Each structure stands twice: as C-alpha cells, then as structure tokens.
Amino acid sequence: PAHNGVVVGSNPAGPTKERRPFDSLPLSQQCAIRCNDRDFIEYMTHHFWNTMIENPTPDDAARLVREHLRIESRAELDDNIAARQKWRELEEQYQAYLTDRMYPEEARR
C-alpha cells in the first residue's frame, strides 16, 4: 500500500536470502562468485596470462577458468569429476596466493 507516495510494508531490498557457507555451495556457484571477485580476477589474469592486463573483467576470469579446467561452461563443475578436482586445486592455489599477499614475510620463513 502507498502512503503519501511511499510504499509501506515492503522490503525494498526484496526477501532476505539465507547466507550459506562458501564451501557448502555447488562448485559452479563458487566459481561464479570467484569470477566476480577483484582479487581472483587479478590472480587469474596474472598467473594464467603472465601479464597484468588493464581492467580485466569477470568475463576474462570466467574464460580463463574454463580454459584451465577444460570445460565449456562452469555448470560442468557440478558433475565433471576431473574439472571438480582441478577447480579444488585452483581454489587451493588462490587461497595460498591470498595468504602470501596478506602475510608476505611470514610466508617466507
């Protein structure tokens, strides 16, 4: 209902979605989230193109992931066993990269 031009009784952000732990999400969803993460985009372009391209996009990261995992679509991560394993390895490498970036001195001891 509107009251003086203001809608009353609705949530402007829409229904609240339940937040699930990242590890509990389907791998295709994990991959989609990563491909929209600035740090992951930087990681993928730097480590797989050996260059820092100007303004890499989520599409660039998604393309690199598909090439690296040898899949046509991220949806394949939900049932392609080989791609699932490679994704888990890639995620592990990415986490190590983040740790090295956050704690460069400690990582070298």
Side-chain angles (χ1 to χ4, degrees), residues 63-83:
R63 186 172 75 247
L64 286 167
V65 166
R66 289 191 308 270
E67 288 173 7
H68 180 69
L69 303 180
R70 295 189 174 112
I71 56 177
E72 296 293 317
S73 165
R74 290 178 293 201
E76 291 179 46
L77 284 170
D78 295 333
D79 31 65
N80 178 325
I81 294 170

Side-chain angles (χ1 to χ4, degrees), residues 24-97:
S24 75
L25 299 173
L27 296 186
S28 59
Q29 198 172 349
Q30 289 181 21
C31 186
I33 290 168
R34 284 288 181 245
C35 287
N36 282 288
D37 176 318
R38 281 285 359 117
D39 291 328
F40 186 77
I41 294 168
E42 179 184 301
Y43 172 76
M44 290 302 293
T45 56
H46 181 71
H47 289 277
F48 291 93
W49 278 343
N50 280 332
T51 186
M52 294 303 288
I53 65 169
E54 193 171 331
N55 300 318
T57 66
D59 288 339
D60 292 326
R63 186 172 75 247
L64 286 167
V65 166
R66 289 191 308 270
E67 288 173 7
H68 180 69
L69 303 180
R70 295 189 174 112
I71 56 177
E72 296 293 317
S73 165
R74 290 178 293 201
E76 291 179 46
L77 284 170
D78 295 333
D79 31 65
N80 178 325
I81 294 170
R84 292 171 71 90
Q85 183 57 38
K86 284 190 88 157
W87 169 254
R88 287 188 179 103
E89 291 168 4
L90 180 61
E91 176 66 17
E92 218 172 88
Q93 293 163 358
Y94 173 61
Q95 291 303 318
Y97 161 80

